[in-house]
Amino acid sequence: MTKTNWSRFSKLALALVVLLSALAGPVGAVSVASENVPNEAQVGSQVTATATLDELYRNPQLESWTLAGETDLEDVTWTVTYYDQTGAKVDQQSFDGQNFSGAQVAAGDGTSEVEISVTGTVPEVEAYSYDPAQTFTLISLDQTREGGSSNDIDTWTAHHYTEDSAAARAELDSAQAAIQSASGANTQQAQQTFNNAVEAFNGEEFNLATNLANEAETSANQAQQSSQTTQLLIYAAGGLLVVALIAGGFLYWRSQQTTYDKLG
């Protein structure tokens, strides 16, 4: 291969590597070692979410970077705790507010793991949704490097609710299960009533949603019972037909036997 061709080949190979890297997307520099995050919480209650990060200085190779976080919780306190390779606490910082930045993570400090804990009050629901259930950002963490570039580490969300919305959701779940179990029956009316219940839920009319969900469940159960009754009647009619055929066949056989006796 000539020098010119080799140069062209090298440039092509380099371009291919860059293209493949771009398609693969950015590689996160930090991994989540463990988490203790609630899946749901009642509006107005106080909750705590915790995540522990490790693999702090890989991909890319960094000696130090800045940790930032945000949450939709209210009256928020963040606690960032630093640990070395032995698990001993190296340092601890506290931040207030829904957003924080400036938590320095540095290999020179001996930091091997970082635990982030956020405590706050669950916010009001801005828009209710039955499916998917309404959620809020419980904790979101970013890695910021010198120069302003950043990587998303991870984001955790949670379903939030009130007593009334939770009660309505439970009735909707029950109605949906009844409709699904009545598969094969005519559940068109039940499904329409259920759809109306979902619309009422999304519109924050929880009493109406509950009543409509109950109606939908009752309609689905009745449709299933009607289908089962019809099926039983069909089975019964089929059984009677079989009995009649057997009886007719037996009588015909007896009549033939009597005829043969007379001929004899």
Side-chain angles (χ1 to χ4, degrees):
M1 182 180 293
T2 66
K3 184 176 182 180
T4 301
N5 289 338
W6 176 257
S7 177
R8 289 177 179 174
F9 176 78
S10 299
K11 290 180 180 179
L12 180 61
L14 178 60
L16 182 59
V17 169
V18 172
L19 177 60
L20 291 175
S21 298
L23 292 175
V27 179
V30 181
S31 65
V32 178
S34 63
E35 60 186 69
N36 185 8
V37 181
N39 294 322
E40 59 180 12
Q42 185 170 345
V43 170
S45 65
Q46 190 177 76
V47 298
T48 297
T50 302
T52 301
L53 309 178
D54 62 3
E55 306 291 345
L56 302 178
Y57 311 107
R58 298 183 182 180
N59 301 320
Q61 297 290 332
L62 294 173
E63 291 298 318
S64 65
W65 50 275
T66 301
L67 176 67
E70 63 178 285
T71 181
D72 287 337
L73 291 171
E74 300 170 345
D75 303 321
V76 179
T77 298
W78 299 85
T79 302
V80 181
T81 308
Y82 307 83
Y83 297 93
D84 64 16
Q85 291 183 345
T86 68
K89 184 164 69 174
V90 175
D91 194 8
Q92 182 171 294
Q93 291 178 290
S94 294
F95 303 88
D96 294 325
Q98 291 182 310
N99 301 276
F100 84 91
S101 61
Q104 297 296 321
V105 180
D109 296 334
T111 303
S112 178
E113 287 188 347
V114 179
E115 180 186 82
I116 304 96
S117 179
V118 60
T119 299
T121 304
V122 178
E124 297 287 338
V125 178
E126 293 183 0
Y128 282 90
S129 171
Y130 174 67
D131 186 19
Q134 67 278 352
T135 60
F136 70 101
T137 298
L138 188 56
I139 179 172
S140 180
L141 301 174
D142 295 318
Q143 177 198 49
T144 303
R145 302 190 296 276
E146 185 177 354
S149 60
S150 64
N151 290 331
D152 294 333
I153 296 175
D154 211 334
T155 297
W156 294 265
T157 61
H159 166 227
H160 53 159
Y161 59 89
T162 63
E163 284 189 21
D164 290 341
S165 73
R169 180 177 292 279
E171 293 297 335
L172 282 164
D173 290 344
S174 181
Q176 187 176 55
I179 293 172
Q180 292 174 347
S181 67
S183 177
N186 184 5
T187 58
Q188 183 176 357
Q189 180 179 347
Q191 184 63 56
Q192 183 58 54
T193 305
F194 176 80
N195 293 343
N196 293 338
V198 170
E199 289 184 11
F201 180 92
N202 295 344
E204 301 184 38
E205 299 179 81
F206 301 124
N207 288 334
L208 177 59
T210 299
N211 292 335
L212 288 173
N214 285 330
E215 288 182 21
E217 183 173 1
T218 299
S219 178
N221 290 334
Q222 289 175 345
Q224 186 177 32
Q225 291 173 359
S226 176
S227 177
Q228 290 174 345
T229 299
T230 301
Q231 199 67 36
L232 288 174
L233 289 174
I234 292 173
Y235 290 153
L240 290 175
L241 178 61
V242 170
V243 171
L245 290 173
I246 293 174
F250 176 75
L251 292 174
Y252 176 77
W253 178 79
R254 286 294 303 273
S255 66
Q256 292 300 310
Q257 295 300 314
T258 303
T259 302
Y260 292 150
D261 290 343
K262 289 180 178 180
L263 290 174

